Amino acid sequence: MDTPPFALFAHLDQRPVLVVGGGALAERKVDALLQAGALPRLVAEQLTPYLQQLLQQGLIAWTARRFQPEALEGTWLAVLASDDPRLVREVTTAATERRILTDAVDPARQPPRSPAADAQHGSGAGRVTLVGAGSGDPGLLTLAALRTLQQADVVLHDRLVSEAVLQLVPRHVRRIEVGKSAGQHSMSQQAIHALMLQHARDGARVVRLKGGDAFVFGRGGEELEFLRQHGIAFDVVPGITAALACAAYAGIPLTHRDHAQSVRLVTAHCKDSLDTLDWQALAQERQTLAVYMGVAGLEDFRTRMLDAGRAAATPFALVENGSRPEQRVITGTLADLPGTARAYQVKSPALLLLGEVTALAESLHWFGSPPLRAADLAQPSGNVDASILSRAA
Ligand SMILES: C[S@@+](CC[C@H](N)C(=O)[O-])C[C@H]1O[C@@H](n2cnc3c(N)ncnc32)[C@H](O)[C@@H]1O
């Protein structure tokens, strides 16, 4: 058909709509149809893992075969989500005979590609860029990260990526949440790998957006190894990791000539990770520890640090929601760490900073509320003055 199509906005609430295709194009169309309240029925020989997930959730129906005209029965609209010209012709002819409108893939409405990206797309293969989103404040995104988001076709993001950062993803770019938060796995690592692979093979510019930095407790290495094994091109944009962001926004210099000559980034999210740490080395004075994912294991952490010789009076700062408007900083000493965290009901995401430098938060804090102190807890931890808890909320 040579004449230009007529652009139409249709109310499709609760109306069956046929989608022909089960690939990345179909994903985009199905997302838009679900947002419009439509009831998508797909006809395709195969579905992507994402569409299979929607199928399992009962959000779409699927006929697992090539398109046949009877699939149009009872539908209000036929949505073309295939590049196959023969299939497109067949659907258009059958739909026209039945006076059913077809929604075609309009090349003029595809998001523009940069010449550099076109060069990379020459072989039909896409590319994955691993992007660190920083810890929450969108001002912490690098210019490279912002540019990459603006040129993306699809963004696969973790739950830790803040809404303020996601607002910077252009509206035409598809956003898929794939991330995990402690204990709640929304998608397995294998499913995330499969999703990256599928979009890259479809020729998309994929941004894999992760909280903080992708190479700091972010499984970025595993994802790149997988892409390399499958011959997918990739690059990496670093982000501001939680240790840097939390320290900066809490007024805690990680090193200081008078207090700490080194910094260690440590994870302590399960017993296994605690068992493999070198506690003697961690317990040395004049160094700062930044402990990721440690909120659940503070009791164990304190015991092991004390056993390894770190002084009970060593100051700590727990930074919850660092760099975000709801940031809280809780300070105290190693001796009362777990009780103080309990009393102030510290929740994930929170980063534990331990070491002499953390005492400086008291005088150098500049962002949000002043630190909440263990010393302000009027009664023994676990049985706390109500006024303190209301400050903590
Ligand atoms: C799976 S790790 C991911 C770390 C991330 N790749 C980074 O570089 O910051 C998640 C942990 O990072 C820490 N974290 C991330 N963002 C944070 C924030 N805004 N405030 C406090 N802690 C944060 C918490 O300890 C959380 O449990």
Side-chain angles (χ1 to χ4, degrees):
M1 228 176 281
D2 291 338
T3 48
F6 176 72
L8 177 75
F9 288 93
H11 285 290
L12 292 170
D13 198 25
Q14 296 303 308
R15 305 212 166 161
V17 172
L18 184 73
V19 178
V20 183
L25 215 50
E27 290 185 1
R28 261 188 239 173
K29 296 280 188 180
V30 164
D31 276 350
L33 287 168
L34 288 174
Q35 269 172 29
L39 307 172
R41 299 172 180 173
L42 276 70
V43 58
E45 277 150 315
Q46 283 182 343
L47 291 187
T48 64
Y50 173 70
L51 290 170
Q52 280 169 19
Q53 213 179 32
L54 296 184
L55 184 70
Q56 274 165 19
Q57 291 167 355
L59 295 170
I60 60 173
W62 178 36
T63 308
R65 57 178 295 180
R66 197 175 185 283
F67 168 80
Q68 297 288 318
E70 52 270 29
L72 289 161
E73 211 54 55
T75 191
W76 286 73
L77 180 71
V79 173
L80 290 166
S82 165
D83 298 329
D84 175 354
R86 222 180 86 202
L87 182 60
V88 168
R89 244 189 338 270
E90 276 176 45
V91 178
T92 313
T93 308
T96 308
E97 281 169 11
R98 289 163 178 74
R99 296 175 176 243
I100 292 171
L101 291 173
T102 49
D103 174 57
V105 185
D106 176 2
R109 292 188 148 265
Q110 299 283 324
R113 288 182 190 282
S114 70
D118 273 345
Q120 283 158 4
H121 279 67
S123 63
R127 179 179 198 84
V128 177
T129 306
L130 209 54
V131 177
S135 297
D137 180 347
L140 296 181
L141 267 189
T142 63
L143 289 177
L146 186 60
R147 198 181 316 118
T148 311
L149 288 176
Q150 283 168 347
Q151 294 175 351
D153 295 311
V154 56
V155 173
L156 310 180
H157 68 90
D158 282 354
R159 203 167 296 171
L160 258 187
V161 176
S162 71
E163 193 48 43
V165 167
L166 291 174
Q167 291 298 324
L168 297 172
V169 178
R171 299 192 81 183
H172 69 260
V173 177
R174 181 135 177 254
R175 273 169 38 180
I176 305 174
E177 183 181 312
V178 296
K180 307 161 195 128
S181 62
Q184 280 182 297
H185 287 236
S186 62
M187 205 181 268
S188 70
Q189 192 63 38
Q190 283 83 353
I192 296 172
H193 287 174
L195 209 53
M196 286 194 299
L197 186 61
Q198 172 220 322
H199 284 286
R201 283 189 172 157
D202 282 346
R205 287 158 298 180
V206 182
V207 169
R208 176 73 180 97
L209 189 62
K210 288 168 173 279
D213 181 85
F215 281 176
V216 180
F217 307 125
R219 304 186 78 163
E222 288 165 54
E223 294 184 8
L224 293 195
E225 278 162 4
F226 172 83
L227 294 171
R228 189 164 178 277
Q229 278 160 16
H230 290 81
I232 302 292
F234 57 77
D235 49 12
V236 183
V237 177
I240 301 214
T241 187
L244 300 186
C246 292
Y249 281 65
I252 297 171
L254 288 171
T255 66
H256 188 295
R257 281 204 297 179
D258 298 335
H259 307 293
Q261 278 73 46
S262 67
V263 187
R264 282 172 186 253
L265 309 188
V266 184
T267 182
H269 70 290
C270 62
K271 188 170 174 307
D272 280 357
S273 64
L274 291 177
D275 284 345
T276 52
L277 291 172
D278 177 352
W279 292 94
Q280 299 301 324
L282 294 181
Q284 277 167 24
E285 288 183 2
R286 298 177 67 81
Q287 73 172 336
T288 309
L289 299 187
V291 185
Y292 289 68
M293 295 176 271
V295 180
L298 292 178
E299 197 84 52
D300 214 356
F301 176 83
R302 174 186 60 177
T303 308
R304 294 189 192 225
M305 285 303 280
L306 292 175
D307 288 352
R310 194 62 153 131
T314 308
F316 76 81
L318 272 163
V319 185
E320 181 189 82
N321 281 306
S323 86
R324 301 174 186 219
E326 61 272 32
Q327 170 177 304
R328 291 196 304 158
V329 179
I330 289 106
T331 58
T333 57
L334 180 58
D336 49 36
L337 169 61
T340 310
R342 254 197 318 276
Y344 283 113
Q345 299 173 10
V346 175
K347 294 196 182 60
S348 185
L351 184 91
L352 169 65
L353 295 171
L354 183 85
E356 293 76 4
V357 287
T358 61
L360 292 168
E362 198 56 47
S363 52
L364 299 184
H365 76 81
W366 58 273
F367 179 75
S369 315
L372 298 160
R373 296 178 306 174
D376 290 338
L377 295 166
Q379 297 160 44
S381 50
N383 183 16
V384 185
D385 187 329
S387 65
I388 301 274
L389 278 185
S390 62
R391 250 180 90 195

